[in-house]
Amino acid sequence: MPMTRQDDFDRIRQNGDFDVLVIGGGINGLGVHRDLSLQGLRVLLVEKHDFCSGCSAAPSRMIHGGLRYLENGEFDLVRESLAERDALLRNAPHLVQPLPTTIPLTTHLSGLFNAAISFFGWAGRPAQRGALPVKVGLSLYDFVTRKRRQLPPHRFRTARATHRKWPDLMQDLRYSATYYDAWISMPERLGIELIRDTRHAAPHSIALNYAEARPIGDGFEICDRESGLSHAIRPKLIINASGAWLDEVRHSLAPPKPGNIGDRRPLVSGTKGSHLILEAPELFRALDGHMIFFENADGRVCIVFPYLGKVLAGSTDIRVDTVGRTRCEDSERDYILASLRRVFPDLALTPDQVVFSYSGIRPLPRSDQEFTGRISRGHFTHRIDGDIPQICMVGGKWTTFRAFAEQTADEALEVLGTARKCSTQNLPIGGGRDFPRDHATLAATLAQTFGLGEERAHHLAQTYGTSAHELLRQCSLQSALLPQDADQAVSSGEIDWFVTHEYARHLSDVVLRRTSLAITGRISLPMIQDIAMQMAKTLGWSGDTTQTEIETLITELHQYHGVSAEMLAQRSRPRSTQCA
């Protein structure tokens, strides 16, 4: 049985001395927590809500080199992104997989001059990109990865060849270009796996969700937001990994000095990105397993690709002045659907096909760029000296989290006068450890070893990778074997696992972040009630608490993800009724 939350707080109460306090449990915070813990440091990470519940829960679910960053002249960022993409393909193959990506092209030379002057710092809105500048960009992409190529090089197709493969694409295209990047099926699960790996390899470190660090006197205290209890801690260094909330947190930890304008200048300039998940079988078939990467009429790059049996489409890029939780507004939904109709003009795409939507604020470096697409997706650290120094992690993206964590960890090690012991570059993550050649091989092994049905075994292989062995053994020991019914989206044994091994504290943690039930449009009212009842048994919730959890989740689904109570009720009907 793993250590409980109470065990962690008891350890803090007994010894509040930590080398590093990491504030923020998004992907950057989890990455630096792992890196520093593996160097032998005692590290405490605190997240105010659930792990990976902010911006880290709202990416485009692409793991990519950033082809369009070449246009901004960010060659180093592209090179780093491609190296980290390939590292994730090696280290987390259960969650990160290759994604063939196709760009429809309607012109030959358009955008060539624009791309050239952009490379040297021009900041205007990009012109439409033609075949030649895209060819140059993809050739650079291939050149960077030539010595360690894991994915096929790019190829061009004529209009005729393109329409043979994608007959529903826009008729006015002249060429298409196909290259390879990658996608991540469940990014929040990868975050959880980083925590579990760290706990196993470095049990001296602690990661807490639903906890908050507060200045008190000359030190700090950790408040458990579940119980309200607090404990004093004494860190030597603070790493601010709070993403879009970075400026708010840094000012709370180190208030700006009077008259010092530089201290008050924001480091982060957020933009809002919204995405849709569609139940659109015709579009799913039309994509033929590819992501279509295309320009909208306003020059914004948009994407659409098959995602866990549905279609993921996005995204918007809207500058925001106030940091907070956000949702996909109707105008953004309509923008994304309109963009899809440009590239698939003959397909009927309507708002009632949207089964889920999500939105988050990208914590980009502060920028005065008028066109948000020109704002760098790079990252850097900003150090604030004091009795307890603070290192702020500014910017970053999912693909480069490991490299950014390593960069930040190296700076922290320098501050603390400690040498690096190991690198995480080739370190497997969670269920990616000892992964066979593909999911089908793992699923066949699980089916044979544990007597599972084919679909159930495939689900477990895709969700947990090789960690499914441990989960199934644990369920067997508890006499809570997973059901054989392939239609059963989640089992009681898995729910217990989320609580006892994966830090789930609330119903939303399971439905939104430990599983794909909500994002794939499978969640229904009876399923919510069943999951809540199982969590109540494990966590000892009262009847009132259980009902509150159900009501809170239903409200959250409606308010932030466009899933109304009526939609949940409709999904509760028998399949024959839904089809009718």
Side-chain angles (χ1 to χ4, degrees), residues 22 28 41 105 145 173 184 219 244 304 321 343 386 398 428 437 560 573:
V22 178
N28 287 335
L41 299 182
L105 299 163
T145 57
L173 63 80
I184 181 167
V304 56
D321 297 322
V343 289
W398 253 98
R437 66 178 181 269
Y560 294 108
R573 297 177 185 174

Side-chain angles (χ1 to χ4, degrees), residues 278-287 309-311 347-349 353:
L278 297 103
E279 177 76 71
E282 287 188 352
L283 178 58
F284 185 91
R285 288 190 293 270
L287 293 169
K310 301 297 189 291
V311 174
L347 298 185
L349 299 170
Q353 293 172 313

Side-chain angles (χ1 to χ4, degrees), residues 5-23:
R5 182 180 181 86
Q6 186 57 53
D7 291 332
D8 286 333
F9 278 101
D10 286 344
R11 294 164 64 202
I12 294 172
R13 178 176 54 80
Q14 294 163 8
N15 180 8
D17 294 326
F18 289 90
D19 296 302
V20 180
L21 167 64
V22 178
I23 299 178

Side-chain angles (χ1 to χ4, degrees), residues 29 49 94 113 123 138 162 177 212 243 266 322 360-361 440 464 513 522 527 532:
H49 303 288
H94 58 311
F113 177 71
L138 290 176
T162 300
E212 195 170 359
T322 303
I361 297 176
Y464 306 102
R513 288 173 289 279
R522 289 181 293 162
M527 199 180 296

Side-chain angles (χ1 to χ4, degrees), residues 50 53 59 76 80 101 135 143 209 245 259 296 301 336 339 404 428 455 461 466 473 504 544 566 573:
D50 190 22
S53 61
D76 287 343
E80 178 184 68
T101 301
K135 177 70 174 178
F143 179 79
N209 54 356
W245 289 264
N296 204 3
V301 172
I336 295 171
S339 75
F404 192 14
E455 290 189 53
T466 54
R473 285 193 298 268
D544 288 345
E566 291 76 13
R573 297 177 185 174

Side-chain angles (χ1 to χ4, degrees), residues 436-512:
R437 66 178 181 269
D438 53 32
H439 288 88
T441 302
L442 176 58
T445 301
L446 294 173
Q448 182 177 11
T449 305
F450 297 98
L452 302 174
E454 181 180 346
E455 290 189 53
R456 189 65 184 164
H458 186 70
H459 158 74
L460 293 168
Q462 279 199 316
T463 305
Y464 306 102
T466 54
S467 296
H469 288 283
E470 182 187 358
L471 182 151
L472 286 160
R473 285 193 298 268
Q474 182 75 20
C475 290
S476 298
L477 289 172
Q478 295 175 347
S479 299
L481 293 172
L482 300 177
Q484 304 298 312
D485 182 5
D487 289 333
Q488 182 75 20
V490 66
S491 72
S492 60
E494 285 176 276
I495 296 165
D496 287 342
W497 175 270
F498 300 144
V499 173
T500 58
H501 290 72
E502 295 190 350
Y503 307 89
R505 302 293 302 169
H506 296 281
L507 186 56
S508 61
D509 300 341
V510 169
V511 172
L512 290 168

Side-chain angles (χ1 to χ4, degrees), residues 334-479:
D334 294 343
Y335 171 91
I336 295 171
L337 290 175
S339 75
L340 296 178
R341 295 186 194 107
R342 290 189 72 239
V343 289
F344 292 101
D346 296 329
L347 298 185
L349 299 170
T350 59
D352 60 6
Q353 293 172 313
V354 178
V355 297
F356 189 85
S357 63
Y358 63 93
S359 183
I361 297 176
R362 305 179 183 94
L364 306 180
R366 183 182 63 85
S367 173
D368 296 325
Q369 293 279 9
E370 181 178 350
F371 183 65
T372 54
R374 294 290 193 199
I375 301 176
S376 174
R377 266 55 174 177
H379 53 77
F380 63 90
T381 60
H382 175 82
R383 180 170 159 184
I384 302 172
D385 293 320
D387 294 336
I388 303 177
Q390 179 185 166
I391 298 175
C392 299
M393 299 181 74
V394 183
K397 61 195 186 86
W398 253 98
T399 304
T400 56
F401 83 85
R402 191 213 63 83
F404 192 14
E406 186 173 76
Q407 172 193 339
T408 307
D410 283 341
E411 185 171 350
L413 292 170
E414 182 180 351
V415 171
L416 297 171
T418 302
R420 174 174 285 279
K421 295 181 178 180
C422 63
S423 171
T424 59
Q425 186 169 24
N426 296 307
L427 189 64
I429 298 172
R433 191 170 290 103
D434 300 322
F435 195 79
R437 66 178 181 269
D438 53 32
H439 288 88
T441 302
L442 176 58
T445 301
L446 294 173
Q448 182 177 11
T449 305
F450 297 98
L452 302 174
E454 181 180 346
E455 290 189 53
R456 189 65 184 164
H458 186 70
H459 158 74
L460 293 168
Q462 279 199 316
T463 305
Y464 306 102
T466 54
S467 296
H469 288 283
E470 182 187 358
L471 182 151
L472 286 160
R473 285 193 298 268
Q474 182 75 20
C475 290
S476 298
L477 289 172
Q478 295 175 347
S479 299

